[in-house]
């Protein structure tokens, strides 16, 4: 008997999250003997609970082609935390909905918190002998999921960061004949500095790259930071520093909390981080009298599909595709991982791994890739990350701007 499959997107979007959605849809529709319809949760589990579902089987070939060039979550996202109590009423409600829609397999595209959702649903199904299978499809620009070599979405965000950093450095070097301008660039990353490390990829024979890179893996020392800035200002005509939004002091306070940080906390207990660069720029200006500039990439780094990595797009599609294959093979309670098989040339395959080893676990930047002084990354990181940003996909431009697929 044919079944329907269900797919949702959750958490912060990426430039290639829709390529993974495309992979799920394409492989589902390529199995007419097994799959009747491919349904999408509108705004993830939260929207599904409210009855918001769309039939993705109606998308045309042209729609699917445009989908992988569209940023943000086509289906809409959410940050909804399922109860840790498997006896909570929400589970029986969800599985009643799965049964009424004849759902055979459910795919959730997301990061750490989304994999927790996959874990809880698969655990409930196992405990109550439910037939539905649940597969996690990795997505996060933070690149902090364990087991997988890297995460779809990271390569494109890293490409944007490296490119923008290079352009900022070039701009900043245009000034500062007598006194340098100190530019501090804030990049996303709460506990893991993978995104901020990508600033190092701006380095090449036409760019020296940032003068310092501060990751949350290293305790931030304000006095040493100021010493470094003063030394750079005395020896250079331009100073550009990359900082992670999540850098924190020895007492545990985020640097952004020294300024005007928000007190907002989401459903998973994550504090909203913003203002780190502005806080540091204000301190530098106050203590040195130098001109400063704070730049915050914010959502730009996860929405720049016009500069997406083709490698990233292809791998994002693959994990979505392979999740459907794995589920049809009977696998459940697992996430598709990217497995690096070679660096020269770069080669990467996939496998399925137990979700319990992945959910709610954060992977930091390895200590051996951070320089001894704690304010840069070395060639080990670059060797790892450079292949992930390679290749481009020319967007379809209409009236001078990229065309996107919009859900009606």
């Amino acid at each position: 008997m044919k079944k329907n499959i269900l797919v949702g997107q959750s958490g912060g979007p990426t430039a290639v999250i829709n390529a993974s959605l495309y992979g799920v849809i394409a492989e589902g529709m390529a199995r007419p003997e097994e799959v009747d319809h491919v349904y999408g949760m509108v705004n993830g589990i939260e929207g599904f609970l409210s009855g918001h579902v769309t039939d993705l089987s109606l998308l045309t070939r042209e729609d699917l082609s445009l989908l992988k060039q569209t940023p943000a979550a086509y289906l809409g996202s959410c940050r909804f935390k399922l109860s840790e109590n498997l006896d909570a009423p929400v589970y029986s409600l969800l599985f009643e909905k799965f049964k009424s829609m004849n759902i055979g397999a459910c795919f959730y595209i997301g990061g750490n918190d989304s994999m927790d959702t996959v874990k809880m649903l698969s655990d409930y199904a196992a405990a109550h002998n439910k037939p539905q299978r649940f597969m996690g499809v990795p997505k996060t620009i933070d690149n902090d999921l364990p087991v997988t070599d890297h995460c779809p979405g990271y390569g494109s965000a890293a490409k944007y960061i490296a490119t923008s950093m290079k352009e900022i450095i070039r701009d900043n070097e245009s000034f500062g004949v007598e006194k340098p301008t100190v530019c501090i660039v804030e990049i996303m990353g709460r506990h893991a500095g993978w995104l901020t490390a990508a600033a190092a990829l701006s380095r090449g024979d036409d760019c020296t790259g940032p003068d310092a890179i501060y990751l949350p893996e290293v305790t931030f020392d304000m006095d040493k930071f100021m010493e470094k800035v003063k030394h750079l200002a005395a020896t250079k005509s331009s100073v550009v520093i990359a900082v992670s939004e999540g850098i924190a002091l020895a007492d545990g306070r985020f640097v952004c909390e020294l300024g005007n940080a928000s007190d907002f906390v989401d459903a998973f207990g994550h504090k909203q981080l913003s203002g780190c660069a502005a806080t540091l720029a204000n301190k530098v200006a106050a203590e040195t009298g130098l001109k400063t500039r704070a730049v915050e990439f914010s959502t730009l780094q996860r929405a720049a599909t016009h500069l997406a990595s083709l490698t990233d797009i292809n791998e994002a599609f693959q994990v979505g595709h392979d999740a459907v294959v794995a589920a049809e093979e009977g696998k459940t309670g697992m996430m598709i991982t990217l497995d690096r098989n070679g660096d020269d040339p770069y080669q990467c395959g996939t496998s399925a791994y137990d979700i319990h080893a992945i959910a709610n676990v954060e992977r930091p930047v390895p200590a051996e890739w951070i320089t001894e002084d704690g304010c840069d990354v070395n060639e080990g990181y670059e060797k790892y990350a450079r292949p992930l940003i390679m290749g481009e996909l020319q967007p379809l431009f209409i009236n001078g701007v990229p065309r996107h697929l919009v859900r009606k």
Side-chain angles (χ1 to χ4, degrees):
M1 178 181 175
K2 290 201 294 186
K3 295 284 187 179
N4 299 318
I5 64 177
L6 180 69
V7 58
Q9 298 170 308
S10 180
T14 79
V16 300
I17 186 173
N18 291 325
S20 292
L21 177 61
Y22 177 18
V24 172
I25 298 168
E27 181 58 17
M29 292 172 63
R31 293 173 173 264
E33 301 295 322
E34 303 156 339
V35 177
D36 194 8
H37 290 270
V38 180
Y39 290 115
M41 304 178 187
V42 177
N43 294 116
I45 285 288
E46 187 173 21
F48 180 70
L49 283 165
S50 301
H52 301 311
V53 177
T54 185
D55 190 347
L56 297 169
S57 307
L58 302 177
L59 294 178
T60 66
R61 186 185 299 267
E62 291 73 23
D63 289 336
L64 292 175
S65 179
L66 194 57
L67 183 59
K68 66 181 179 182
Q69 302 179 44
T70 297
Y74 173 77
L75 289 172
S77 188
C78 70
R79 294 191 185 277
F80 181 81
K81 184 174 177 61
L82 284 174
S83 172
E84 294 183 10
N85 178 12
L86 292 180
D87 293 325
V90 68
Y91 290 101
S92 58
L93 178 59
L94 280 168
F95 278 82
E96 286 172 9
K97 288 178 176 290
F98 293 149
K99 183 178 179 179
S100 68
M101 292 183 63
N102 193 30
I103 300 299
C106 177
F107 307 90
Y108 216 40
I109 307 171
N112 299 81
D113 298 329
S114 303
M115 294 309 109
D116 181 62
T117 298
V118 175
K119 178 179 76 69
M120 300 303 290
L121 290 172
S122 61
D123 284 352
Y124 182 91
H128 294 81
N129 198 29
K130 300 294 184 181
Q132 291 84 11
R133 297 181 293 278
F134 298 91
M135 292 294 298
V137 181
K139 169 268 352 165
T140 174
I141 63 171
D142 294 317
N143 201 42
D144 59 353
L145 287 171
V147 183
T148 186
D149 178 79
H150 54 281
C151 303
Y154 177 65
S156 293
K159 190 181 187 81
Y160 175 85
I161 289 165
T163 302
S164 298
M165 181 63 67
K166 189 172 184 177
E167 292 168 343
I168 287 170
I169 290 169
R170 186 70 65 240
D171 178 89
N172 207 62
E173 288 176 344
S174 300
F175 305 96
V177 176
E178 295 182 359
K179 290 185 178 181
T181 295
V182 178
C183 181
I184 300 176
V185 183
E186 179 178 335
I187 301 169
M188 282 183 176
R190 180 179 302 274
H191 300 302
W194 293 101
L195 286 169
T196 309
L201 299 176
S202 64
R203 292 180 176 133
D205 57 9
D206 62 343
C207 182
T208 59
D211 297 295
I213 297 175
Y214 290 91
L215 310 182
E217 285 82 355
V218 179
T219 300
F220 186 79
D221 187 311
M222 187 66 78
D223 292 336
K224 289 183 178 179
F225 169 77
M226 289 304 304
E227 287 176 13
K228 189 168 188 68
V229 170
K230 291 172 182 178
H231 172 73
L232 289 168
T235 57
K236 298 195 65 182
S237 59
S238 169
V239 177
V240 178
I241 295 172
V243 299
S244 173
E245 65 180 1
I247 54 174
L249 306 173
D251 62 9
R253 286 179 299 163
F254 291 111
V255 169
C256 66
E257 293 182 282
L258 304 180
N260 298 312
S262 168
D263 290 328
F264 173 78
V265 175
D266 69 15
F268 291 88
H270 303 320
K271 184 164 186 165
Q272 183 174 337
L273 303 181
S274 180
C276 175
T279 298
L280 292 175
N282 289 339
K283 183 169 181 62
V284 170
E287 287 197 18
T288 67
L290 293 169
K291 180 180 179 180
T292 61
R293 180 177 290 111
V295 177
E296 186 177 343
F297 285 165
S298 189
T299 55
L300 295 173
Q301 58 209 305
R302 73 185 190 197
T305 303
H306 67 283
L307 196 59
S309 155
L310 183 58
T311 297
D312 197 21
I313 291 173
N314 291 338
E315 291 179 346
F317 171 87
Q318 197 65 48
V319 294
H321 172 282
D322 290 0
V324 176
V325 173
E328 291 301 323
E329 291 174 347
K331 293 183 174 69
T332 187
M334 307 186 89
M335 186 190 84
I336 301 300
T337 61
L338 289 167
D339 310 319
R340 189 178 303 221
N341 300 318
D343 285 311
D344 190 18
Y346 169 73
Q347 295 177 327
C348 191
T350 69
S351 58
Y353 206 88
D354 184 358
I355 197 70
H356 296 83
I358 295 171
N360 301 312
V361 179
E362 289 181 316
R363 179 184 62 161
V365 175
E368 61 266 27
W369 290 351
I370 302 174
T371 56
E372 189 174 346
D373 64 0
C375 53
D376 210 335
V377 291
N378 58 33
E379 64 278 0
Y381 166 77
E382 183 173 348
K383 181 180 179 182
Y384 163 84
R386 183 70 65 180
L388 310 184
I389 71 171
M390 301 304 289
E392 295 78 36
L393 177 66
Q394 179 67 16
L396 173 64
F397 280 86
I398 302 294
N399 293 326
V401 294
R403 185 76 166 178
H404 297 156
L405 182 67
V406 181
R407 193 180 72 254
K408 298 293 190 295

